[in-house]
C-alpha cells in the first residue's frame, strides 16, 4: 500500500460503519483511505456508536459524521440523497448480519441503509460477525442476494474472533479492502483478458545448497501483475524466488529454475492474450547437478555452464494471437541490444532499462526506461516508481 500513496487523489469514499466489535478497525480504514489520497465521509448506525464515538471518526476523516436521518443540522450540511450522489464508492465495513439483511431486502430505516438504497455507485460490503451468525443459512442467502444485485462482498477473513470462536467472520484485512476499493475505482480496460506475467530471478543450482542467480527483486513484474488485476484482467504470475507477497487477486505460481519457469509459462501460453516477461531469467545453468554438497578441497573447481531455454524466443516463434512484451536489462548499447531482442524474439514491445544507471533496474523502487515498438518508434519515459511505470506500460500495451 505504501507505494500506492496518493493513488485515490480526487476520489470520494463513503464509509458505512455498523455495530460490531470490528468498528475500531474501521477507524484505521479511514486513515488508510486518506493516506491513498481519497476524501472520506463516514455514516454510522446507532449500534456502531456504542462501540466507538462519532467524534473519533470525525477527527480522523476531518468531516462531520452522519448518524441521524432526522437531524436537521446534518441534513442541512449534506442531505442523504446528495451524499449518495457524492460518493464514488460506498464501503460498508464492518457489515453486521443485521445490516446485510436490511440491504438485501431494501429496508431503509436509518441513515446508512437509506444512503445504500439511494446509491448508484459501486457498493462494497465487508461482513464481520461471529462464525455461527455468518454461517447461518439466512445470512448466507442474504449475501448471495447482495451478490446477485451487483454488490461486491469482500471477505470475511478466517481466524480467531473476539468472542473466542475460530472460523470465518473476521473483518477482511484492511489492505485487501483498500485493494478492492482501488480496483472498484479503476477503469476495467483489461476486462476479459488473460495476462501472464513473469517476475524475479531464477536459481540455477549445482548442488543442494548452492546456485547461480542475479539481484532481481521481482518488483517490476509484481507491479505489472497488480495493475493488470486492478484493470480487470485474469492474471497469472509465474515468479522466481522473491521476498514479495503475491499481489491480491493474482494466481501465483512459484518456480526456481529457468527450466521450471519455461514449463510453467508454456503450459499457460495457449490461453493467454498478453505475456509480459519481466523475469530476469538466467541465460546459463550448470551442466551437472551434484546431489550432495560439494566439499571443499585444495584444488580449484571448474564448473561447466550450458544454455538455458530462451523462454521469450520460444513464445515468439509459437506466437498466434498473443501480444508479447519483453524487458531488456542492459549495461551498454541499450537501444541496439533492445532492438535486436525485439526483432529476434518476435516481440510487440520491449521495455529497455540501463541497469547501471542510478535509480534504475534491479532492487530499486524506481526505474528509468525507454520503450521500443515493432514500428521502430522509441519512447523515453522519466524516472518514476515501478508501480507508476507499470500503469504507463499497461496504457501502452492496451494501445497496441
Ligand atoms: O536476451 P535477454 O535475456 O537479454 O532478453 C531479455 C528478455 O527475454 C526478458 O523479457 C526476459 O524475461 C526474457 N528471457 C527469457 N528467457 C531467457 C532469457 C531472457 O524469456 N532465457
Amino acid at each position: 500500500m505504501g507505494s500506492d500513496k496518493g493513488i485515490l487523489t480526487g476520489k470520494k469514499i463513503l464509509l458505512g460503519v455498523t455495530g460490531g466489535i470490528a468498528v475500531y478497525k474501521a477507524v484505521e480504514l479511514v486513515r488508510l483511505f486518506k493516506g491513498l489520497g481519497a476524501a472520506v465521509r463516514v455514516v454510522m448506525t446507532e449500534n456502531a456508536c456504542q462501540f466507538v464515538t462519532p467524534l473519533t471518526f470525525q477527527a480522523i476523516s476531518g468531516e462531520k459524521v452522519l448518524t441521524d436521518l432526522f437531524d436537521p443540522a446534518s441534513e442541512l450540511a449534506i442531505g442523504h440523497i446528495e451524499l449518495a450522489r457524492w460518493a464514488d464508492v460506498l464501503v460498508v465495513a464492518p457489515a453486521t448480519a443485521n445490516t446485510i439483511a436490511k440491504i438485501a431486502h431494501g429496508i431503509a430505516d436509518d441513515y446508512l441503509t437509506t444512503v445504500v438504497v439511494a446509491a448508484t455507485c459501486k457498493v462494497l460490503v465487508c461482513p464481520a460477525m461471529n462464525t455461527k451468525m455468518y454461517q447461518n443459512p439466512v445470512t448466507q442467502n442474504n449475501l448471495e442476494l447482495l451478490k446477485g444485485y451487483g454488490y461486491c462482498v469482500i471477505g470475511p477473513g478466517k481466524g480467531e474472533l473476539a468472542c473466542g470462536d475460530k472460523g470465518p467472520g473476521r473483518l477482511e484485512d484492511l489492505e485487501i479492502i483498500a485493494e478492492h476499493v482501488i480496483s472498484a475505482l479503476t477503469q476495467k480496460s483489461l476486462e476479459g483478458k488473460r495476462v501472464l506475467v513473469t517476475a524475479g530471478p531464477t536459481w540455477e543450482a549445482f548442488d543442494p545448497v548452492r546456485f547461480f542467480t542475479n539481484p532481481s527483486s521481482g518488483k517490476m513484474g509484481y507491479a505489472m501483475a497488480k495493475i493488470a488485476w486492478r484493470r480487470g484482467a485474469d492474471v497469472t504470475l509465474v515468479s522466481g524466488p522473491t521476498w514479495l507477497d503475491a499481489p491480491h487477486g493474482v494466481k501465483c505460481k512459484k518456480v526456481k529454475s529457468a527450466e521450471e519457469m519455461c514449463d510453467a509459462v508454456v503450459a499457460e501460453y495457449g490461453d493467454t492474450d498478453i505475456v509480459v516477461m519481466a523475469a530476469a531469467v538466467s541465460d546459463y545453468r550448470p551442466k551437472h547437478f551434484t546431489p550432495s554438497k560439494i566439499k571443499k578441497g585444495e584444488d580449484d573447481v571448474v564448473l561447466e555452464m550450458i544454455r538455458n531455454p530462451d523462454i521469450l524466443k520460444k513464445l515468439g516463434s509459437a506466437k498466434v494471437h498473443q501480444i508479447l512484451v519483453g524487458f531488456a536489462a542492459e549495461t551498454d548499447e541499450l537501444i541496439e541490444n533492445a532492438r535486436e531482442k525485439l526483432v529476434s524474439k518476435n516481440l510487440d514491445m520491449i521495455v529497455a532499462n540501463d541497469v547501471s544507471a542510478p535509480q534504475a533496474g534491479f532492487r530499486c523502487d524506481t526505474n528509468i526506461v525507454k520503450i521500443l515498438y515493432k514500428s521502430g518508434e522509441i519512447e523515453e519515459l522519466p524516472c518514476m516508481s515501478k508501480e507508476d511505470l507499470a500503469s504507463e506500460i499497461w496504457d501502452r500495451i492496451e494501445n497496441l
Side-chain angles (χ1 to χ4, degrees), residues 277-279 281-283 308-312 326-328 330 341 345:
M277 280 287 304
V281 186
S282 189
D283 291 323
N308 261 332
D310 189 321
I311 307 169
L312 198 46
F327 276 73
E330 302 291 342
K341 281 168 200 175
K345 300 187 192 212

Side-chain angles (χ1 to χ4, degrees), residues 307-334:
R307 276 299 310 255
N308 261 332
D310 189 321
I311 307 169
L312 198 46
K313 202 167 196 163
K314 219 178 170 105
L315 303 185
S317 56
K319 183 153 127 181
V320 188
H321 57 276
Q322 294 92 342
I323 289 179
L324 290 187
V325 178
F327 276 73
E330 302 291 342
T331 51
D332 27 40
E333 309 292 345
L334 181 64

Side-chain angles (χ1 to χ4, degrees), residues 323-325 348-349 373-374 394-400:
I323 289 179
L324 290 187
V325 178
D348 299 279
M349 193 174 127
Y373 299 89
K374 222 154 93 169
W394 276 115
D395 287 348
R396 284 152 182 84
I397 297 173
E398 285 170 21
N399 278 339
L400 284 177

Side-chain angles (χ1 to χ4, degrees), residues 99-118:
T99 297
I100 288 168
K102 287 204 261 180
I103 299 173
H105 294 88
I107 295 172
D109 66 349
D110 60 11
Y111 206 119
L112 174 61
T113 47
T114 306
V115 172
V116 172
V117 175

Side-chain angles (χ1 to χ4, degrees), residues 162-237:
C163 55
D165 275 4
K166 273 192 188 145
R170 286 167 61 92
L171 182 67
E172 184 55 280
D173 285 350
L174 304 188
E175 303 234 323
I176 292 179
I177 296 175
E179 189 56 62
H180 279 274
V181 169
I182 296 171
S183 165
L185 294 170
T186 305
Q187 215 194 330
K188 296 289 165 257
S189 47
L190 288 171
E191 187 94 70
K193 298 285 176 214
R194 284 172 190 268
V195 166
L196 175 63
V197 180
T198 66
T202 60
W203 286 1
E204 309 298 334
F206 56 92
D207 80 9
V209 293
R210 301 187 184 98
F211 50 82
F212 289 95
T213 189
N214 60 64
S216 168
S217 63
K219 285 178 189 165
M220 192 65 239
Y222 277 59
M224 289 299 293
K226 173 166 145 177
I227 303 294
W229 177 78
R230 285 180 183 171
R231 293 186 181 197
D234 179 351
V235 187
T236 302
L237 173 66

Side-chain angles (χ1 to χ4, degrees), residues 42-46 49 54 65-69 74 110-112:
V42 179
V43 178
M44 296 174 76
T45 63
E46 208 181 328
C49 300
V65 172
L66 302 150
T67 52
D68 181 1
L69 200 50
S74 299
D110 60 11
Y111 206 119
L112 174 61

